Amino acid sequence: MTFTLPTGNDPASVRARVVALERLLERSFTIPGVNMPVGLDALVGLIPVLGEIVTGAMGAYIVWEARNLGLPKWKLARMGANVLFDTAIGAIPVVGDAADLLFRSNTRNLKILLKHIDKHHPQTRVIEG
């Protein structure tokens, strides 16, 4: 089984990449018993400084993709603030690890981006059932 992501700059390719990255960062697997989805953002965030730098950079990639699609500056600023807040809170030793489970900046940014894509590029809309 192979898994490939599209490499184009068209909205459908961007959508596929960003959705896959958000799933990896926020919902990779579920904690048994609690039934709570967890991703790399919470796991890599356990590494003191390097973890927050890596997950912050991956979150910034979503904002960069949004900029390439032509989102308005106020939406980009909101997305950047989400990533910055998540990175800043995650830097606090114990509280930040718990906050990574509750504040999901990548999911918030995905919603902003998908709302824009669905409005301005309706041909890329995916119907989930």
Side-chain angles (χ1 to χ4, degrees):
M1 182 166 97
T2 61
F3 180 73
T4 59
L5 287 174
T7 58
N9 290 333
D10 59 297
S13 298
V14 171
R15 178 187 203 110
R17 284 194 304 269
V18 171
V19 166
L21 182 59
E22 186 272 338
R23 183 168 290 141
L24 176 70
L25 288 172
E26 304 292 358
R27 300 176 285 132
S28 295
F29 61 92
T30 305
I31 298 174
V34 183
N35 209 18
M36 183 176 192
V38 178
L40 286 182
D41 190 18
L43 292 178
V44 176
L46 295 173
I47 302 169
V49 175
L50 184 64
E52 291 307 318
I53 292 171
V54 169
T55 57
M58 293 172 88
Y61 173 76
I62 295 174
V63 179
W64 181 73
E65 286 282 15
R67 184 191 66 84
N68 289 341
L69 277 180
L71 263 73
K73 289 184 181 187
W74 68 271
K75 286 183 182 179
L76 294 173
R78 185 172 172 198
M79 292 173 72
N82 285 338
V83 172
L84 186 62
F85 180 75
D86 187 31
T87 304
I89 287 292
I92 302 171
V94 176
V95 176
D97 298 331
D100 274 340
L101 294 173
L102 301 175
F103 184 78
R104 299 177 183 258
S105 65
N106 300 305
T107 302
R108 291 170 186 250
N109 289 345
L110 178 68
K111 287 180 184 178
I112 293 170
L113 182 60
L114 291 182
K115 188 174 180 182
H116 176 83
I117 289 175
D118 288 345
K119 182 177 180 182
H120 296 285
H121 307 282
Q123 70 276 12
T124 66
R125 198 172 290 153
V126 176
I127 300 173
E128 297 179 8

